[in-house]
Amino acid sequence: REEHKSIFESFKANIINEETISMSFKLFDKDGSGGITPQELKELLGITSKFTDKLWSKLNDNQNNPEDSEISYEKFKKMMYE
């Protein structure tokens, strides 16, 4: 199992970098506002009824009002490196 973990960590380190994170963020941030909204996430992922405010709260550090919140580039970047 440790061998698999090591392989995954190596793969992740080679794929996740500033350029790929920036490109990914731009895909999600369709309006170029500098933040990813729940609606942008739903549209890109094709999620309808399965996407809930509760899930958004988990993704966005438990914001109370999901419709008024966005995931910033810095927060997105942090999530990609975790």
Side-chain angles (χ1 to χ4, degrees), residues 37-39 41-42 45 47-60 63-67 69:
T37 65
Q39 189 58 39
L41 188 62
K42 288 177 195 178
L45 298 179
I47 301 171
T48 55
S49 61
K50 293 181 181 180
F51 186 84
T52 64
D53 289 345
K54 187 175 182 178
L55 174 58
W56 179 258
S57 292
K58 286 183 181 181
L59 287 172
N60 200 18
Q63 295 291 324
N64 290 330
N65 189 353
E67 293 305 316
S69 60

Side-chain angles (χ1 to χ4, degrees), residues 20-47 51 56 59 70-72 76 79-80:
T20 57
I21 291 172
S22 178
M23 288 172 33
S24 299
F25 184 82
K26 288 175 184 175
L27 284 174
F28 284 99
D29 182 21
K30 291 182 142 202
D31 66 2
S33 68
I36 301 168
T37 65
Q39 189 58 39
E40 288 171 325
L41 188 62
K42 288 177 195 178
E43 287 175 13
L44 187 66
L45 298 179
I47 301 171
F51 186 84
W56 179 258
L59 287 172
E70 293 185 340
I71 294 177
S72 68
F76 182 80
M79 288 189 303
M80 294 299 106

